[in-house]
Amino acid sequence: MVRRVAGQVVDIVTGAPTASVVIPARNAVAVLEGQLAALRKQEFDGRFEVIVADNGSTDDTAAVAVGWADRIPGLQVVDASARPGISHARNTGVAAAGGEYVLFCDADDEASPGWVQAMVDGLKQADVVGGRLDLDTLNPPRVRAWRVDPALDRLPTTMDFLPYAIGANIGVRTAVYRALGGFNEAYRGSHDDVEFCWRAQLASYRLGYVPQAVIRYRLRGDLRRLAAQRYGYGLSYAQLFRQYQDLEITSGGVGTELRIWVGLLLQIPQMVTCTGRGRWIYQASWNAGRLRGSLRHRTLCPR
């Protein structure tokens, strides 16, 4: 059987796959092949498909993906350009998925060889699962030093509320995903993963952690891109709080907000070193976005 994908005809292996791997991608020419090569090396005892959801790329992302069709049986490239945002791309990818389980990874990261198997095994015990991020393999020590070490024994929690699986390494039973309505497309850049996992848990679905499912995660490698990313994270953090503030989440206060900014001012002398600059920008950009988001959503969200 063949399917026309992005203007080309490629062979498609018949039979339903066990899992569908969805990769949202936008202008990912420089990095996508690394992820596709990693998925081609998966050690999996079933069959899985790969779906690249092209979110309006202006480069050759779709063509690069199609070029892997002869190396990854069942590869699809779907047009997710109708609406900008990673949530829309993920939802579009799932609409084309045929697997019992859907797994999400990002175009600029790389899955470890046992990732698909570990995620599928985890989804036999839970409805939604998150894996572990390896921040060391793809990042130089200079860039790695800007970030806080993630916990390795559990999923992260935010706002002292519920845990969540990070969108770069999340899996869900396809039926559960569709029952929940997929990712909330009002979230354009981040915290869509938190919102999805909270919504799943509030609907009594089980969230699990699979530390054996490792994604080699690529960090922003320069300070300008780091600042833009963290500012955006802060904006959507306030959006998340506004949506769920009626639950058991403690809001921020003016006194707390003042202490945060005084603390950042006192840390400015640390910016004389590269590590100090990165860490300061990491925190300040987040808090600037969080404050701007609080004003936009007329709330004062926690730090």
Side-chain angles (χ1 to χ4, degrees):
M1 183 177 76
V2 297
R3 175 177 295 175
R4 185 169 295 277
V5 177
Q8 299 189 29
V9 175
V10 297
D11 290 330
I12 301 295
V13 177
T14 58
T18 302
S20 301
V21 177
V22 173
I23 309 173
R26 179 180 173 85
N27 295 335
V29 162
V31 290
L32 179 59
E33 289 194 281
Q35 183 65 280
L36 294 176
L39 290 170
R40 184 170 181 261
K41 298 174 183 177
Q42 290 296 298
E43 300 164 355
F44 182 53
D45 58 15
R47 191 172 78 80
F48 69 94
E49 63 181 352
V50 175
I51 302 168
V52 177
D54 183 13
N55 190 221
S57 297
T58 56
D59 62 10
D60 292 330
T61 292
V64 167
V66 168
W68 281 76
D70 59 343
R71 287 169 280 182
I72 301 179
L75 174 71
Q76 301 180 58
V77 180
V78 298
D79 182 3
S81 62
R83 183 175 183 179
I86 197 169
S87 296
H88 176 72
R90 287 173 176 151
N91 289 340
T92 302
V94 177
E100 180 181 359
Y101 310 110
V102 59
L103 317 178
F104 298 93
C105 58
D106 288 345
D108 57 343
D109 302 328
E110 296 179 7
S112 62
W115 179 70
V116 170
Q117 184 70 62
M119 292 291 272
V120 168
D121 289 345
L123 285 168
K124 293 176 181 178
Q125 307 297 323
D127 301 300
V128 183
V129 298
R132 180 168 62 85
L133 298 185
D134 165 14
L135 274 59
D136 296 320
T137 301
L138 300 182
N139 304 293
R142 172 184 60 85
V143 173
R144 180 68 184 84
W146 299 340
R147 302 283 184 135
V148 177
D149 288 333
L152 300 180
D153 60 342
R154 63 189 181 279
L155 291 174
T157 300
T158 192
M159 298 187 193
D160 293 324
F161 188 47
L162 295 171
Y164 65 95
I166 295 171
N169 191 357
I170 185 174
V172 58
R173 297 183 182 187
T174 306
V176 171
Y177 186 93
R178 290 174 175 155
L180 289 167
F183 284 94
N184 186 339
E185 296 189 14
Y187 290 79
R188 299 278 292 273
S190 64
H191 287 94
D192 55 318
D193 45 7
V194 184
E195 195 280 330
F196 179 83
C197 291
W198 283 9
R199 184 158 30 101
Q201 291 169 89
L202 292 171
S204 299
Y205 290 111
R206 297 165 297 169
L207 175 66
Y209 178 45
V210 186
Q212 300 85 359
V214 179
I215 288 285
R216 298 160 186 154
Y217 187 77
R218 193 183 307 275
L219 300 171
R220 295 294 186 270
D222 63 78
L223 295 178
R224 181 172 295 182
R225 294 176 64 215
L226 173 65
Q229 181 189 53
R230 293 288 293 172
Y231 182 81
Y233 284 0
L235 285 174
S236 59
Y237 182 80
Q239 179 182 1
L240 179 73
F241 176 70
R242 179 68 180 84
Q243 181 178 345
Y244 286 95
Q245 65 179 350
D246 292 335
L247 301 180
E248 297 177 2
I249 303 175
T250 303
S251 64
V254 174
T256 299
E257 197 67 31
L258 288 173
R259 285 192 293 273
I260 289 170
W261 288 100
V262 169
L264 284 168
L265 289 173
L266 293 175
Q267 293 173 29
I268 286 178
Q270 299 178 13
M271 295 181 69
V272 296
T273 67
C274 178
T275 297
R277 281 194 299 276
R279 290 179 176 174
W280 192 89
I281 288 172
Y282 180 85
Q283 296 179 59
S285 300
W286 158 268
N287 282 296
R290 184 182 54 78
L291 185 57
R292 178 67 182 88
S294 293
L295 295 172
R296 176 182 296 178
H297 296 285
R298 298 181 180 180
T299 186
L300 187 56
C301 65
R303 60 179 301 174

